[in-house]
């Protein structure tokens, strides 16, 4: 029987920044071209309890989740860029109300929301790979929606040809970690 000493980790492999894949149900090609993504920060609010000598910090009750941000390469048809742009336009209905209803009836989420409810969100999964390139952990984001999409900057003076990249930021309700191996 092997003994495990306190303070010595069982897994001594490190996590590398290249081992990930983001899949977004409503925008499938954006994740495919993903280059950088983050697991957002979270901050627990605090309450200051007054005292006659100094204020004492006490844990609050509300967690503030940071934004999910993805940098992705843009395909030459602007297909993945337009997935996000159409999503934002569908939420914001810039031209007329029919635009939001048309957008909501497209894609994998059509007919999944009850009649009369807005179909604005998507779930997403960030798969994190281990040192053997196997999915080790999935980070599940619920009720995501994009709220910011970066510009595309064209430049005829560039000498080193690199693909254009864009950045999209998402808000969401919550994210949770799910381990994928059976030993957890």
């Amino acid at each position: 029987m092997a003994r495990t000493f306190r303070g010595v980790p069982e897994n001594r492999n490190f996590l590398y920044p290249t081992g990930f894949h983001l899949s977004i149900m409503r925008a499938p090609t954006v994740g495919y071209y993903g280059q950088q993504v983050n697991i957002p920060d979270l901050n627990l609010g605090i309450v200051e309890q007054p005292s006659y000598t100094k204020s004492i910090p006490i844990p609050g009750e509300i967690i503030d989740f940071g934004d999910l941000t993805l940098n992705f390469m843009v395909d030459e048809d602007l297909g993945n860029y337009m997935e996000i742009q159409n999503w934002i336009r569908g939420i914001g209905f810039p031209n007329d109300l029919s635009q939001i209803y048309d957008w909501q009836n497209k894609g994998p989420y059509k007919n999944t929301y009850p009649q009369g409810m807005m179909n604005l969100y998507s779930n997403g999964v960030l798969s994190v790979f281990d040192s053997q390139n196997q999915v080790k952990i999935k980070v599940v984001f619920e009720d995501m929606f994009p709220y910011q999409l970066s510009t595309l900057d064209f430049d005829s003076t560039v000498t080193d040809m690199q693909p254009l990249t864009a950045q999209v930021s998402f808000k969401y309700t919550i994210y949770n970690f799910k381990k994928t191996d059976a030993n957890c």
Side-chain angles (χ1 to χ4, degrees), residues 4 8-15 130-132 136 181:
T4 303
V8 177
E10 289 182 29
N11 184 349
R12 296 183 190 166
N13 294 320
F14 296 104
L15 187 62
D130 63 12
S131 57
Q132 276 83 47
K136 186 73 169 183
D181 60 320

Side-chain angles (χ1 to χ4, degrees), residues 60-180:
E61 299 173 349
I62 298 174
I63 296 175
D64 181 31
F65 291 91
D67 295 342
L68 173 65
T69 303
L70 172 69
N71 291 339
F72 62 97
M73 292 185 291
V74 178
D75 65 72
E76 68 180 9
D77 295 330
L78 295 173
N80 55 3
Y81 189 82
M82 293 307 296
E83 278 181 339
I84 299 298
Q85 188 168 108
N86 289 338
W87 190 353
I88 293 172
R89 286 177 183 261
I91 292 170
F93 47 90
N95 294 327
D96 57 46
L97 284 177
S98 66
Q99 191 173 10
I100 190 170
Y101 297 120
D102 292 344
W103 175 80
Q104 288 186 63
N105 289 323
K106 293 178 183 172
Y109 275 157
K110 83 177 177 186
N111 302 325
T112 60
Y113 279 74
Q115 184 71 12
M117 283 189 66
M118 300 298 260
N119 177 9
L120 308 175
Y121 309 102
S122 178
N123 288 345
V125 177
L126 174 61
S127 299
V128 179
F129 303 130
D130 63 12
S131 57
Q132 276 83 47
N133 223 18
Q134 302 294 315
V135 176
K136 186 73 169 183
I137 295 174
K138 291 185 176 189
V139 186
V140 179
F141 295 87
E142 296 179 19
D143 298 330
M144 300 170 48
F145 65 93
Y147 75 94
Q148 186 175 36
L149 179 62
S150 69
T151 62
L152 289 179
D153 297 321
F154 293 89
D155 183 355
S156 65
T157 64
V158 171
T159 58
D160 183 23
M161 296 302 283
Q162 295 288 325
L164 282 177
T165 60
Q167 183 178 74
V168 58
S169 295
F170 294 92
K171 296 287 186 186
Y172 52 90
T173 305
I174 193 167
Y175 69 85
N176 292 298
F177 291 88
K178 297 189 189 295
K179 293 188 177 184
T180 57

